Amino acid sequence: MKYIFGENGCPKYVNLKREYKKCNIEFVERGISRLKKPQEDRDNIDVVAFSILCENGMKSPVVVDDEIDI
């Protein structure tokens, strides 16, 4: 399973979701605001995604594969 963090209306986010659906790749959508303003229900996927977001110069979308060693 993949987790995609992005903003509605972002062309890259929309295209990525479309491609995943076309290829039957299962994913869960999470808003990028979840990373910029941490939620009380933050989990390890969020922590990894925030790290990737920082590495990407705060640009979305961010994809996290839940098969990584968290």
Side-chain angles (χ1 to χ4, degrees):
M1 176 78 65
K2 296 188 182 293
Y3 291 81
I4 305 174
F5 294 79
E7 295 179 81
N8 289 330
C10 169
K12 288 181 181 182
Y13 184 54
V14 171
N15 289 336
L16 182 61
K17 292 189 302 182
R18 184 179 303 131
E19 187 65 28
Y20 278 17
K21 288 176 185 176
K22 180 178 158 186
C23 296
N24 293 318
I25 298 171
E26 291 185 37
F27 64 92
V28 173
E29 295 180 59
R30 289 191 176 177
I32 199 74
S33 62
R34 182 179 175 99
L35 304 180
K36 294 179 179 180
K37 194 172 191 180
Q39 306 294 309
E40 289 182 20
D41 63 342
R42 178 177 56 210
D43 59 19
N44 287 339
I45 297 293
D46 294 332
V47 173
V48 171
F50 184 74
S51 176
I52 294 169
L53 182 66
C54 291
E55 290 173 3
N56 290 342
M58 302 304 279
K59 294 181 183 174
S60 65
V62 173
V63 178
V64 176
D65 191 329
D66 73 349
E67 294 179 8
I68 62 170
D69 186 26
I70 299 177

